[in-house]
Amino acid sequence: MPSTSPRTRLSAFVLVALVALSRLPFLAAGYGENVDAWRVARAARQIAQNHVYEPSRLPGYPIHEIMSACFRHFGAIGLNGLSAAFGIAAVLALWSIARRLHCRHPFLLALAFAATPIFFVNSVTAKDYVWAIAFALWALSAALAPFGAASSSASPSVAGSPRAP
């Protein structure tokens, strides 16, 4: 991260708290109507019981399914909670990227992303979509790391977003 000032740490803490608290009421809602979430739960149970990898759907998503097997004892709360944790990671990654690119309001950008309905719903279900977004955003954040300490005139900018003075 470009800076670890107290204000930056406070912003990160508030962002995590807001996203986590907004997801909390939905974690115990079960696996939902999407059959893929139920397939993940079934595969997690099979992997945990038999110690043999079984994909929830083809071609298989081993990282998600094996991690889900580790948390299957917690039921829907555990699997939905994993997605919520990866949702928080994705929001933090976007916030980090926006800061590196000197966006004017990185906190609001990340908060708006977290509140997007498709992201919100998928961050409280036992599916791998939010995991993929989190991994992709953290990869982009890592790729932009050399630009974190650069001056605002030398670092890239998101199209259409003015740089902070």
Side-chain angles (χ1 to χ4, degrees):
M1 245 180 235
S3 166
T4 56
S5 69
R7 183 176 176 171
T8 301
R9 287 191 297 273
L10 178 62
S11 292
F13 175 78
V14 169
L15 192 58
V16 167
L18 287 173
V19 175
L21 289 173
S22 69
R23 275 42 176 190
L24 201 56
F26 302 99
L27 297 181
Y31 298 115
E33 293 183 17
N34 189 311
V35 69
D36 287 343
W38 287 93
R39 288 178 180 153
V40 168
R42 183 183 48 78
R45 185 185 70 236
Q46 293 296 338
I47 293 167
Q49 288 176 348
N50 303 329
H51 304 286
V52 175
Y53 175 70
E54 178 180 317
S56 60
R57 56 214 188 280
L58 296 176
Y61 304 89
I63 293 172
H64 180 245
E65 293 155 346
I66 292 169
M67 286 288 295
S68 294
C70 295
F71 285 80
R72 75 144 184 106
H73 295 291
F74 299 105
I77 292 174
L79 300 189
N80 295 343
L82 276 175
S83 291
F86 275 90
I88 291 168
V91 169
L92 282 175
L94 182 63
W95 175 72
S96 174
I97 291 165
R99 290 183 61 244
R100 287 177 204 268
L101 297 178
H102 303 282
C103 289
R104 186 166 295 215
H105 301 290
F107 183 87
L108 293 177
L109 175 79
L111 203 55
F113 174 69
T116 304
I118 191 119
F119 182 79
F120 192 105
V121 169
N122 283 295
S123 68
V124 291
T125 60
K127 294 180 288 193
D128 57 355
Y129 310 136
V130 172
W131 292 48
I133 292 170
F135 284 127
L137 287 173
W138 276 111
L140 178 58
S141 181
L144 292 174
F147 298 108
S151 69
S152 63
S153 62
S155 58
S157 175
V158 173
S161 66
R163 298 173 199 228

